Amino acid sequence: MSITSTAASGNRLLIRFLVVATVLYLAWFFGYEQWLAQDGRLDTALCTQIAAASTGVLNILGFTAHVDYSLPKHILNLVVINGKPAVVVGPPCNGLVLYALFAGFVVAFPGPFRRKLWYIPLGIAVIWVLNVLRVVALALNHEYSRDSMDFNHHYTFTFVVYGFIFMLWMLWAKGLALSPASQRTEVAPPTAAHA
């Protein structure tokens, strides 16, 4: 394959990625921002799931934790640890944007459709677990070191979560998106001519 045809193929893949990513963004904007967010039921369900799972983990770890659902807005869930309010789980914290961001990248990036069918749900499940652990860590941070909670919430945990999603993207782009034939071709050592 010549350098020119490789560059043209790379440009087509980039254009395809940008077109699919743009279409997915518009679908997100009109589907979620203009409709589902206004409805609130999806956000409420996700917030409730994250808060309940987080208190479950805290209880397993030996803390007394529960969710207080009495906040004025029904979509906010307050995680209470050892009788003290610790973390409010609201729409920005429920992980929906992270799931969409992850899935959108995998859908837009070329790769076998069958692999996408299992990799996207698996990735979303891993991100969900990571988000639950983030809320648990924030509750413990609030319990033991309130002074650092704001910094950790806005920077440390954001860096960790987005770094992990980036690693999932790289796993897809560098390994799983390639077809088995292209993986064999890439790793096959060049053959030497015999004199």
Side-chain angles (χ1 to χ4, degrees):
M1 188 178 281
S2 71
I3 293 174
T4 307
S5 63
T6 303
S9 175
N11 286 340
R12 272 185 300 219
L13 290 175
L14 177 62
I15 290 168
R16 178 198 174 279
F17 178 83
L18 293 174
V19 167
V20 172
T22 301
V23 168
L24 290 173
Y25 173 76
L26 291 173
W28 172 261
F29 178 77
F30 289 108
Y32 175 74
E33 297 292 338
Q34 303 300 316
W35 179 50
L36 288 173
Q38 305 301 322
D39 178 62
R41 286 183 283 185
L42 180 59
D43 282 320
T44 300
L46 289 172
C47 292
T48 302
Q49 273 187 345
I50 295 293
S54 300
T55 57
V57 171
L58 287 166
N59 285 319
I60 288 170
L61 294 175
F63 296 92
T64 303
H66 69 277
V67 180
D68 180 353
Y69 298 105
S70 67
L71 291 178
K73 288 190 173 184
H74 67 284
I75 57 175
L76 300 178
N77 297 276
L78 177 62
V79 174
V80 178
I81 182 171
N82 294 335
K84 294 176 275 188
V87 179
V88 174
V89 180
C93 307
N94 67 19
L96 184 58
V97 172
L98 301 177
Y99 310 147
L101 191 63
F102 167 75
F105 176 86
V106 175
V107 167
F109 199 88
F113 180 72
R114 286 186 182 179
R115 288 187 188 165
K116 290 180 183 187
L117 285 178
W118 64 262
Y119 190 70
I120 290 172
L122 178 66
I124 289 172
V126 168
I127 295 167
W128 183 86
V129 169
L130 187 63
N131 199 24
V132 168
L133 295 176
R134 181 183 71 88
V135 172
V136 167
L138 282 169
L140 294 174
N141 191 168
H142 185 271
E143 180 72 9
Y144 293 108
S145 181
R146 287 186 192 162
D147 295 340
S148 65
M149 186 170 169
D150 193 50
F151 178 84
N152 287 330
H153 177 254
H154 289 100
Y155 300 105
T156 307
F157 295 122
T158 300
F159 176 77
V160 168
V161 169
Y162 279 99
F164 197 87
I165 293 171
F166 181 76
M167 287 190 311
L168 288 171
W169 285 343
M170 288 298 97
L171 177 61
W172 176 256
K174 297 281 187 184
L176 294 172
L178 300 173
S179 68
S182 66
Q183 287 175 337
R184 282 193 300 273
T185 305
E186 288 181 14
V187 296
T191 55
H194 293 285

